[in-house]
Amino acid sequence: MSGGITHVLTDIEGTTTAIAFVHRSLFPYAASALEGFLARHGGEAEVAAALAEVPGEDKLAQLRAWMAADAKVTPLKTLQGLIWREGYKAGELKGHLWPDVPGALREWHARGLHLAIYSSGSEEAQRLIVRHSEAGDLEPLFEGFFDTRMGMKREAASYANIARAWGVEPARILFLSDVAEELDAAREAGLATCQLVRAEDGTRPSGRHPEAHDFTEVTPLLAA
């Protein structure tokens, strides 16, 4: 895997960030704030555009149904990201990162590696979690934030789309995720892969991809 990796693409939930943070902090925050947020901002262009993509007459009911199903749909993810932006700005939210992540990201960036995120969360949500992280503002380390507009994470075409958008050969990209099926899709598209197996999140190794328990263990895979 070493000799050729110039770009690192990382998932968030279960990879850089505890699954519990997303499900016990971010999702409940958005759910409790949804109705009030729409009442205050429903007429604004960005919010109205997202709502226009929600089917049916009862937009609120559809959004709540998507939330209950943890649906990976772009209009929901967009609105969640906008709600979280308010929470971060108000100091009510702080982005969780595993302790090994900030130092590794800074080291990789200093070595000239290109870094980006690919998550089912919106670009807005991705930027917020690293901009308002517990380790400070890490947003400048990243040059790309890819979400479901590239496609779904278990489809090989999504990773091909990212490589084209990033302007790099797929084989030059190392994709980090805890989900084996996402890694399968990335490998099908020609990317190198590594599964993050964090005991704290209960991740089970697939045996189909190289494994690392944290970002410190990923670093040797990037050695020239």
Side-chain angles (χ1 to χ4, degrees):
M1 187 184 301
S2 58
I5 297 299
T6 55
H7 293 60
V8 179
L9 180 68
T10 183
D11 172 46
I12 291 181
E13 183 181 347
T15 302
T16 66
T17 300
I19 293 172
F21 172 71
V22 177
H23 288 270
R24 297 178 189 173
S25 296
L26 291 184
F27 285 173
Y29 185 92
S32 65
L34 177 64
E35 192 166 359
F37 177 84
L38 294 180
R40 293 192 306 274
H41 303 290
E44 297 173 8
E46 193 172 14
V47 176
L51 287 173
E53 297 181 33
V54 179
E57 293 186 7
D58 192 338
K59 308 291 188 181
L60 182 61
Q62 179 60 67
L63 288 167
R64 292 213 176 277
W66 278 341
M67 284 181 168
D70 190 17
K72 313 297 186 184
V73 290
T74 299
L76 172 63
K77 295 302 180 181
T78 298
L79 291 170
Q80 285 175 323
L82 294 172
I83 292 169
W84 293 330
R85 180 169 63 188
E86 284 197 344
Y88 283 113
K89 285 184 175 180
E92 297 171 353
L93 292 171
K94 206 75 171 175
H96 173 267
L97 296 176
W98 290 113
D100 54 276
V101 170
L105 291 174
R106 290 186 177 109
E107 177 185 345
W108 299 348
H109 182 267
R111 286 168 49 180
L113 289 163
H114 303 270
L115 308 180
I117 290 173
Y118 178 34
S119 172
S120 56
S122 68
E123 176 181 345
E124 174 77 6
Q126 296 171 29
R127 289 182 180 275
L128 288 169
I129 202 168
V130 294
R131 183 187 306 153
H132 299 279
S133 86
E134 297 162 341
D137 183 4
L138 303 183
E139 186 178 6
L141 301 180
F142 295 93
E143 60 185 42
F145 296 87
F146 302 107
D147 57 23
T148 52
R149 290 173 294 183
M150 292 290 108
M152 303 308 289
K153 295 185 72 180
R154 301 189 183 195
E155 299 175 358
S158 305
Y159 299 89
N161 290 339
I162 288 172
R164 281 193 294 271
W166 212 352
V168 61
E169 290 294 321
R172 296 276 185 176
I173 304 173
L174 172 63
F175 178 51
L176 308 176
S177 175
D178 60 314
V179 180
E181 291 78 9
E182 296 175 3
L183 296 164
D184 292 341
R187 184 173 59 191
E188 183 180 342
L191 279 67
T193 58
C194 179
Q195 183 180 21
L196 268 294
V197 183
R198 293 189 182 274
E200 302 92 336
D201 275 337
T203 309
R204 302 179 67 87
S206 67
R208 302 197 297 272
H209 302 273
E211 298 165 11
H213 294 95
D214 57 32
F215 273 28
T216 303
E217 292 186 5
V218 173
T219 298
L221 302 178
L222 302 170

